Each structure stands twice: as C-alpha cells, then as structure tokens.
Amino acid sequence: MSDLILYHGGRTEPVVRLIPQEQVTETLQRAESLVKVPVSDADLSTVARWGDGGLTPLEGPMDSQTFNRVLEDACIEYQGKKYAWTIPLALPVAKDLAATLKPGQEVALVDKNDQVVATLKLTDVYPWDKAKYLKSVYLTERTDHPGADMVLVNDADKDYLLGGVINVLPRAKNPDFGQYILSPTETRALIAKRGWQRVVAFQTRNPLHRAHEYALVYGLEKLLKDGYNAGACLNPLVGETKGDDVNAAIRMQTYEKLIADRALGEGDSDAQLWKKLGEEVPDRVVLLGLDIKMFYGGPKEAVMHAIYRQNFGFTDIIIGRKHADAPYKDGTAIWGDFDAQEIFKNLNGDLQERPLNVGFAAYYESIGRVDLMEYHPDEKPVFISGKAVRATLQKGEQVDPRIMRPTTSAILAAAMKVN
C-alpha cells in the first residue's frame, strides 16, 4: 500500500501501542496487582488514539519536559527534528494519588466502572500548572469559556499529570456508530482502495447546515479542479463534547442520511464539473468518525485537528471560519474569525497536512444556492441564527430548507423536540 502522506514525526509507520489479543489475559492478570489510576470518559478516547496510532509519534502521555515544550514553543522534538504540536496531552490525577506514584512504576488505567483499559509505565509525575496551560492553549487569561471549564471544573480535583509509555487494551466498538471508527491503518487502506491522489477531511462537531456542507464541497471541488483524482472525508469528531452539543449518535444519523440520500452538495455543487466527471458529490465522499475529545481551542486546536488527520492518511483539511471555536460565556469572541487559518502560516515545526482554507458561505436568493460570501459583497444572504435553529427544532419543526437539508431537520427535530 502506497500512503499519500507520512505519519506525523516523519514516520512511515504509526506508533501503535495496542496490546495484541494473545496478551490480553496476561495483561489483565498482571493489572490486578497494580495501582489503579482512574481515567475520565473524555480522556478514554485519547487513550484509544495512543493505542491505534492516531497520536503518532507519541508513545503515551507526555512527560513534563515535552508538555511544557508544547506550551512554550508549540512543538515536539522527535528524532532530532521539530514537529508542530499545539495542545499537550497527559493524564490528570489527584494530588493524593500522585503522591503514591513514581517514575519506573507500572500502573493500571481504569474507566468509571473500574475496568482496566490500559497499563502505563510511568516516566514522570508532575504538578499541572493550569493557569499556564490555559493561557497557552486558549491564548487568553480569562477563564469564562468551555475550555477552562474542562480544566477548572471537570478536572478540579486533579492537579498533577502523568507521563509514560502506554499499552492499551482493545475495546469494543460503539454500538451506535462503531462501524465508522477506523484505525489509521484501516483508514489508509480505504483511501488506497479508492485510488485517490488527494483526500480532504472535513472536521465538525455539529449537524451540518448547508453552509457547513458547502465548505466540504468547495474543498473537494478545488482539488478536482486542480487536476487531482480527489476524494473527501466527512470526518466528524465523536469524542466528548459540551453538554449542549448534539450527541454523536444523533449526529452520525444525520450524516449517514445525507450521504445515503445523495443530498450532500445537491443544488450547491458545480454542475458542469460533476457532469464532466459523470458523478455526483456523494460518489467521492466517505463518512468516518474521529473519536477524540473536543478542546474548544480555536486556532491551537485547528493544528491538532490537522495532526490527527495526517496520521489517518488525509492530505488536506478544511479550515473555515471560527474553526474549533467557542465564545466566552458572555457571547463575545475569544479569537478572530479566521485566526485558525492564520496560525498555519507560522508553525514552529513540520506538518505535512495541508490546510485548505474556506471562507464563510450562505444561501443567496439571486443564484438559488449556497455560495461563498466573498463573491456577493453587495447582497444580503439568507441567515438564521443558531439560537433560532435550535428553537425551531425543539418545537419539532423543520428548519428552512435553504439553511438545512430536510432529512437533517427531521432527525434533529425528532431527537430535540421538547414535549
């Protein structure tokens, strides 16, 4: 199999820390005598990505030197070369538990049901400077935002971090959408089977409005017009998200229906291009989920989204307006609309994944479809606020089809209707 892009760290193979099936029983027996370290639901998906290679070239949670290098320099060093890395990853623990642990010790990582999910050979146990972390990742000293809640509320009792080399036990697939969660190796095999030369990934944590959808269509069409035999992956993040985000199982239903009904791009794509190809947009789109938690980290998280996608074999990633964005609690913006595009111009280390920048899109009555706003400076588009969309769905009603596909509206209205 010829991969289109190297793994992060310049590797030709992923760093896989998954325990082979034949060693599972022995590992579980050994784990019975180890100190148990609880892992939150949010961090379980990070553990799984260390296992399958999605976080290559990491072998597990970062030690203090690596963690702080990311905070200070936005990079890691691997085999003597710098690689872009913008949000450090380690495992938080409570101070009392941390006091009983030391480098060289092996511990068992357990979920909320006390089931062993991995073993970790510790290389470092160190205090978590939460203020430094938050300022570096979120580029603000204010703490009234979702990212700070994750650290100061969800992990309020955890002031220490663990670094080490991890060995991850296989885990069962999610019954609702597990068929869409592939490993980097499996994803690269799927891409190779398609024979594509470039593949653009579209990150989302939301059901798709037509404006979101158009960003994917625009990116795919750009690669095709540049002469590549290209494909796209609708690649929603299905790890832990905020409580007011639509849950992953419902979202996956909307994406699945969009492709199955061949509605993706309908009316908004370049008709001449697709006629020439003898195809439609859904013919060149695959649906795969990415199981990792959302940080709501704006520009810094956009880079991480690109790193993940490089490891899974995609060559490009759509970076649009307000990528990975969440405002302060008073509704004001933390970052500029296109700061996530700007950050890629000044990375402090290698990143092979290419950002494919897309502006803001909206529906225009003059052309009867969605288009980029930059092409219509003197026209007023059809706009509906996210708050109004949510209110409509909670009534069990359909959103204006100029804003959202009827199939997506129907699934969301059934799920969100308030009786």
Side-chain angles (χ1 to χ4, degrees):
M1 183 179 74
S2 178
D3 288 335
L4 301 179
I5 193 169
L6 292 170
Y7 290 86
H8 201 45
R11 291 182 57 91
T12 57
E13 298 289 337
V15 175
V16 175
R17 302 300 306 173
L18 201 61
I19 295 169
Q21 194 62 46
E22 62 270 19
Q23 295 178 22
V24 168
T25 300
E26 183 272 331
T27 300
L28 288 172
Q29 290 173 345
R30 192 174 75 254
E32 291 177 7
S33 62
L34 301 177
V35 173
K36 304 287 193 297
V37 174
V39 176
S40 69
D41 285 350
D43 288 329
L44 278 177
S45 56
T46 311
V47 168
R49 300 293 74 74
W50 280 317
D52 69 14
L55 294 172
T56 298
L58 302 187
E59 295 185 329
M62 294 175 172
D63 60 21
S64 58
Q65 182 179 356
T66 308
F67 192 93
N68 284 300
R69 179 81 184 271
V70 172
L71 294 181
E72 293 160 12
D73 298 330
C75 70
I76 58 171
E77 191 168 318
Y78 183 72
Q79 296 185 344
K81 184 176 177 180
K82 289 198 301 183
Y83 292 90
W85 202 287
T86 48
I87 300 180
L89 301 173
L91 288 177
V93 291
K95 182 179 180 179
D96 290 349
L97 177 56
T100 70
L101 306 175
K102 60 184 183 298
Q105 181 178 354
E106 186 179 30
V107 298
L109 306 181
V110 298
D111 64 15
K112 63 185 177 185
N113 299 316
D114 207 36
Q115 297 298 305
V116 177
V117 296
T119 61
L120 181 67
K121 188 69 174 292
L122 297 174
T123 59
D124 208 353
V125 182
Y126 56 102
W128 185 3
D129 186 338
K130 292 183 176 181
K132 179 180 180 180
Y133 171 87
L134 289 172
K135 184 177 179 182
S136 172
V137 172
Y138 296 95
L139 306 172
T140 176
E141 292 185 343
R142 285 176 60 171
T143 58
D144 56 326
H145 55 86
D149 283 350
M150 293 169 68
V151 174
L152 302 177
V153 179
N154 299 0
D155 285 335
D157 60 335
K158 298 175 180 177
D159 292 320
Y160 277 73
L161 296 169
L162 303 182
V165 177
I166 202 166
N167 289 296
V168 181
L169 287 158
R171 67 172 181 172
K173 284 182 176 284
N174 184 294
D176 292 320
F177 50 79
Q179 71 269 33
Y180 295 113
I181 310 298
L182 303 183
S183 70
T185 303
E186 292 168 333
T187 303
R188 286 167 176 257
L190 184 153
I191 292 169
K193 190 174 181 180
R194 292 285 186 128
W196 289 328
Q197 298 167 312
R198 294 272 286 274
V199 188
V200 62
F202 181 75
Q203 152 72 30
T204 184
R205 69 175 196 266
N206 296 305
L208 297 188
H209 297 189
R210 282 177 68 175
H212 296 150
E213 187 185 308
Y214 185 70
L216 181 153
V217 173
Y218 172 89
L220 173 57
E221 290 184 345
K222 184 179 187 308
L223 294 180
L224 291 168
K225 289 172 183 177
D226 286 346
Y228 295 99
N229 176 18
C233 180
L234 175 50
N235 196 212
L237 186 145
V238 296
E240 183 153 302
T241 55
K242 293 190 283 94
D244 60 350
D245 284 344
V246 177
N247 75 59
I250 297 298
R251 286 192 289 116
M252 290 302 284
Q253 289 177 35
T254 68
Y255 309 137
E256 189 177 43
K257 188 71 170 166
L258 196 59
I259 293 174
D261 285 2
R262 302 184 68 76
L264 183 66
E266 185 180 10
D268 298 329
S269 56
D270 185 330
Q272 286 186 319
L273 172 67
W274 293 100
K275 184 177 180 181
K276 182 179 176 183
L277 291 169
E279 297 175 325
E280 294 177 335
V281 173
D283 295 320
R284 288 180 176 264
V285 177
V286 294
L287 171 62
L288 296 174
L290 174 64
D291 186 6
I292 200 158
K293 74 177 181 181
M294 190 77 196
F295 289 90
Y296 302 94
K300 290 289 186 84
E301 189 166 15
V303 177
M304 295 308 301
H305 285 166
I307 291 169
Y308 308 150
R309 273 45 183 234
Q310 178 176 333
N311 279 331
F312 279 82
F314 307 119
T315 58
D316 302 75
I317 180 171
I318 299 288
I319 305 292
R321 174 180 176 268
K322 291 187 172 293
H323 189 105
D325 189 272
Y328 291 115
K329 291 181 182 177
D330 63 8
T332 58
I334 303 176
W335 311 284
D337 283 1
F338 294 102
D339 284 4
Q341 295 181 357
E342 293 298 315
I343 194 173
F344 285 89
K345 297 175 182 177
N346 297 292
L347 297 178
N348 187 25
D350 181 78
L351 178 64
Q352 296 292 306
E353 185 79 355
R354 286 165 276 203
L356 202 164
N357 294 340
V358 181
F360 194 49
Y363 187 96
Y364 287 91
E365 288 287 7
S366 63
I367 57 173
R369 66 176 183 85
V370 173
D371 199 8
L372 294 179
M373 290 179 67
E374 63 202 65
Y375 299 148
H376 304 264
D378 301 320
E379 280 186 72
K380 186 178 179 180
V382 177
F383 262 140
I384 297 180
S385 71
K387 186 176 180 181
V389 168
R390 183 176 291 272
T392 299
L393 293 169
Q394 288 174 338
K395 293 176 190 173
E397 297 174 359
Q398 295 268 316
V399 175
D400 186 332
R402 296 173 297 179
I403 301 297
M404 182 179 283
R405 302 288 181 188
T407 56
T408 300
S409 273
I411 292 168
L412 294 178
M416 295 171 63
K417 184 177 180 180
V418 177
N419 296 321

